[in-house]
């Protein structure tokens, strides 16, 4: 499957559960667990200089969008969860 197909399939599946709060919470928990596991794998493998550069570039782009009011900033708790700090 291509990225576009995967994205469409993901959105289709989410549309089926969007009205069920319990299912949405479970889906969110599962996605967060997958993200944490992936992040842990990346940390164990060590990020290359290129990966660090890409991450910083993405972070600065997001920061600029927040400053421009085009996207909302994430709550600090969510950011800490993303990097595995609780």
């Amino acid at each position: 499957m291509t990225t576009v197909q995967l994205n469409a399939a993901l959105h289709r599946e989410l549309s089926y559960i969007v009205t069920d709060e319990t299912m949405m919470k479970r889906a969110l928990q599962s996605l967060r667990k997958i993200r944490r596991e992936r992040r842990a794998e990346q940390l164990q493998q060590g990020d290359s200089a290129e990966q660090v550069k890409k991450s910083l570039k993405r972070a600065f782009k997001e920061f600029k969008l927040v400053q421009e009011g085009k996207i909302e900033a994430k709550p600090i708790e969510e950011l800490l969860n993303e990097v595995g700090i609780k």
Side-chain angles (χ1 to χ4, degrees), residues 4-86:
V4 172
Q5 291 169 323
L6 289 169
N7 190 23
L10 178 62
H11 284 279
R12 190 172 40 255
E13 292 301 322
L14 289 173
S15 72
Y16 298 138
I17 65 171
V18 74
T19 57
D20 186 329
E21 185 177 351
T22 302
M23 287 182 69
M24 287 292 287
K25 285 180 181 179
R26 288 177 57 200
L28 187 57
Q29 288 172 344
S30 296
L31 290 170
R32 286 179 175 162
K33 180 181 177 190
I34 292 168
R35 186 185 64 224
R36 282 192 304 270
E37 289 170 355
R38 177 69 177 128
R39 181 70 180 138
E41 289 172 8
Q42 289 173 335
L43 290 174
Q44 287 175 355
Q45 296 170 356
D47 289 338
S48 70
E50 188 62 31
Q51 289 170 321
V52 171
K53 221 164 122 176
K54 284 180 182 179
S55 293
L56 286 172
K57 223 177 203 181
R58 186 175 56 245
F60 283 116
K61 283 181 183 178
E62 285 183 24
F63 182 70
K64 183 178 179 185
L65 292 172
V66 168
Q67 284 184 319
E68 293 172 352
K70 294 181 180 177
I71 62 172
E72 274 189 42
K74 294 179 182 178
I76 189 69
E77 294 83 9
E78 188 175 331
L79 293 172
L80 292 174
N81 283 337
E82 283 183 21
V83 295
I85 301 171
K86 292 184 180 182

